[in-house]
Amino acid sequence: MSHFTSMKTRFQNLVYLERALNRLNIPNKRQKEMIQNSISKSYNVNLIIPQSNNYDVEFCWNGQEYELVVDMSFWEQPNTIENFIDKIAQQYAGEVIISESQKIGFQPIKYKHNVDGSNTLILERWNTQKVTAETF
């Protein structure tokens, strides 16, 4: 008997979510889903994580965030679902920090995964303003 579970997340950016999965070496692919109402049609892009048993794990866009949709009876990932989400959330946060910092001139110079499971991220930004010397 199948038991589909839908878990809310705070993942709102598809690109950051894809990068987090890629950083964790979790294979994934995009899937377009057509949404049609009486006036128009649009597309959502979901992320699929294939499993060998063909009961794939999905991150589905609900209009506000990507929900994790999975049949718990067929979970094949190496971690529990809670650890799975935690690991993705940690990488997702790193991707947000890197990308948003780059928008204001910072560049990542070091990204290290520590033995305790934490990550260390070092960013730098050089002052590009012209400095003039004044004599007093």
Side-chain angles (χ1 to χ4, degrees):
M1 185 156 128
S2 295
H3 295 92
F4 280 97
T5 301
S6 181
M7 296 180 65
K8 286 191 174 239
T9 69
R10 300 232 183 233
F11 308 137
Q12 298 176 330
N13 185 296
L14 177 67
V15 173
Y16 298 160
L17 181 55
E18 283 179 309
R19 287 180 186 167
L21 293 170
N22 292 338
R23 192 176 286 274
L24 291 166
N25 296 315
I26 298 172
N28 62 87
K29 60 184 178 183
R30 288 184 180 199
Q31 180 183 60
K32 275 189 176 181
E33 174 186 50
M34 187 174 69
I35 308 297
Q36 188 167 351
N37 60 31
S38 60
I39 300 172
S40 66
K41 63 181 173 182
S42 62
Y43 292 92
N44 282 344
V45 178
N46 300 325
L47 282 181
I48 308 299
I49 299 170
Q51 296 193 125
S52 62
N53 61 9
N54 294 322
Y55 289 92
D56 298 338
V57 176
E58 299 182 27
F59 281 99
C60 298
W61 182 250
N62 70 10
Q64 296 179 340
E65 62 195 5
Y66 283 91
E67 290 181 332
L68 179 66
V69 178
V70 62
D71 185 333
M72 294 304 295
S73 302
F74 297 101
W75 181 256
E76 279 193 342
Q77 299 303 309
N79 299 301
T80 65
I81 194 161
E82 292 81 11
N83 286 344
F84 180 78
I85 291 291
D86 287 346
K87 286 177 184 266
I88 294 170
Q90 184 181 32
Q91 296 302 319
Y92 182 90
E95 293 302 325
V96 170
I97 291 167
I98 290 169
S99 295
E100 296 302 315
S101 296
Q102 286 178 323
K103 290 177 183 177
I104 57 172
F106 285 90
Q107 293 300 314
I109 58 169
K110 184 177 180 182
Y111 193 101
K112 179 183 172 193
H113 184 71
N114 301 312
V115 176
D116 66 359
S118 65
N119 293 321
T120 300
L121 174 60
I122 299 174
L123 305 166
E124 73 179 2
R125 179 172 72 175
W126 292 90
N127 186 353
T128 58
Q129 295 177 351
K130 186 175 181 180
V131 178
T132 57
E134 293 184 20
T135 305
F136 293 97

